[in-house]
Amino acid sequence: MAQAQDLRQAIISVADRQGPILSAYLSVNADIPENQGRTYLVRLRDAMNDQGVPKDLQQRVRNYLEEEAHPAARTLAIFVDEDDLFAVYRLQVDIPESFRWGDPSVAPLTLILDEYEPYGAAVLDAESFRYFVVSPLSSAHGEEEVKANGFREIDLHPSEPYPRGGGSTDLDPAGRKHQANIHDLYKELGERTREITFQEGVQRLILAGPKERTAEFRRDLPNELQERVVAEEHVDIGESEGELLDDLEAIRERAEHEREKALLDEIRERGIRGPDETIAALQEENRIYHLAALWEMEAEIRWCDNDQLAIRDVTAKECPFCGQNTRGRPLKDVLVDLAAARGARLDFMLGENENTDVLRDEFGGLAGLTRF
Ligand SMILES: [Zn+2]
């Protein structure tokens, strides 16, 4: 996980900077209706004005973003100061927008780096093999190019040339030889896949290609990799790279949907639900390790900046712990800060689907799994 280490270092160095710094978390997810027509550029401009970001700095940020018609991300995390800092991170997860000109705000980044796993996708047929990784968080200027939907391609360097001459049947000797070659190749590629999967910290592996090939490849995979396979799906290997990456993203989204559904099922069985109970368990009892929160939640909650605590009594203008003034904050923002501080994973669920229906109607928008 060399990349994760580099990112951690970069985030620490941002966090250690003396302000003022612009920390902006900007939603650029094209699937969210509010982002139609790149309206996020308008929101960013207004937010930077509200925060009093110097004009020349605003211009540099806008120039950077306007160049990129389709940011390969759901959220951009931007850190800029008047000195030499200009860092943009691509997040493949949705987190609440926030903008701050002052002390650096890195809690959402550390949350994502600690809690979300990269996906790997092995794409194969008889004559080719490619491995893509999509990380929840990547630098905009990494060594490898970030392609559509946030995928990076890993360079594989197979030691043997790929077997040639498909099309033979299993009955003739040439066909059998060809089959044996493929078997050997897949064994070798399986080993390579294992190395890369561990190196990149991939927990969830997608196999894609013609059905008979992925099935064979899967059979030859080392055991510890078989457990990580979350989807095996047919894709047309002849399609363009753009189409291929769209297919992989669709497969990844289905796998994510299944993962979220499993999380909600587990919460139903042994978790806690409802904003009040969940926040108490997260903040005061410190026993939540995984949260599910509805993206469309509009609720506000009181917050004490001095204690970094949510105050659950909505009428409390003064903090019951330290007596200082409290302020109202969107519950979603507070969840990010509390989850980062308490080491809980936080899954925001978006859109209209069976998962968000359950989360809204059955769990009151917020629920979690507890350690004890
Ligand atoms: Zn307080």
Side-chain angles (χ1 to χ4, degrees), residues 186-203:
Y186 281 0
K187 265 197 113 73
E188 187 194 321
L189 289 175
E191 284 303 319
R192 271 305 270 142
T193 301
R194 192 172 73 88
E195 280 169 36
I196 294 161
T197 299
F198 281 88
Q199 169 199 315
E200 298 288 328
V202 167
Q203 300 291 331

Side-chain angles (χ1 to χ4, degrees), residues 304 306-307 311 319 321-324:
C304 171
N306 185 40
D307 291 314
I311 312 299
C319 172
F321 309 110
C322 70
Q324 295 201 14

Side-chain angles (χ1 to χ4, degrees), residues 225-297:
L225 274 201
Q226 299 209 5
E227 297 162 7
R228 299 192 185 191
V229 175
V230 294
E232 178 188 335
E233 293 204 29
H234 181 87
V235 297
D236 179 2
I237 227 85
E239 66 190 2
S240 72
E241 182 169 282
E243 289 167 326
L244 173 65
L245 293 178
D246 281 347
D247 283 351
L248 292 182
E249 178 59 9
I251 296 168
R252 191 182 79 96
E253 277 176 8
R254 281 198 294 278
E256 275 291 280
H257 188 84
E258 287 304 306
R259 182 187 63 74
E260 290 176 352
K261 184 173 184 304
L263 170 64
L264 294 174
D265 287 345
E266 200 177 347
I267 288 173
R268 183 181 294 111
E269 216 161 273
R270 57 174 199 87
I272 51 171
R273 58 183 79 178
D276 211 45
E277 295 81 350
T278 307
I279 288 166
L282 172 68
Q283 171 172 283
E284 284 132 56
E285 299 153 23
N286 198 12
R287 61 193 182 99
I288 299 235
Y289 68 89
H290 201 158
L291 286 162
L294 191 67
W295 179 258
E296 303 294 340
M297 208 165 25

Side-chain angles (χ1 to χ4, degrees), residues 18 88 91 111 115 151 171 178 244 261 268 270 313-314 331 356:
Q18 296 294 324
V88 179
L91 281 52
L111 180 72
E115 304 293 343
F151 285 93
L171 297 174
H178 182 65
L244 173 65
K261 184 173 184 304
R268 183 181 294 111
R270 57 174 199 87
D313 174 3
V314 290
L331 178 55
T356 51

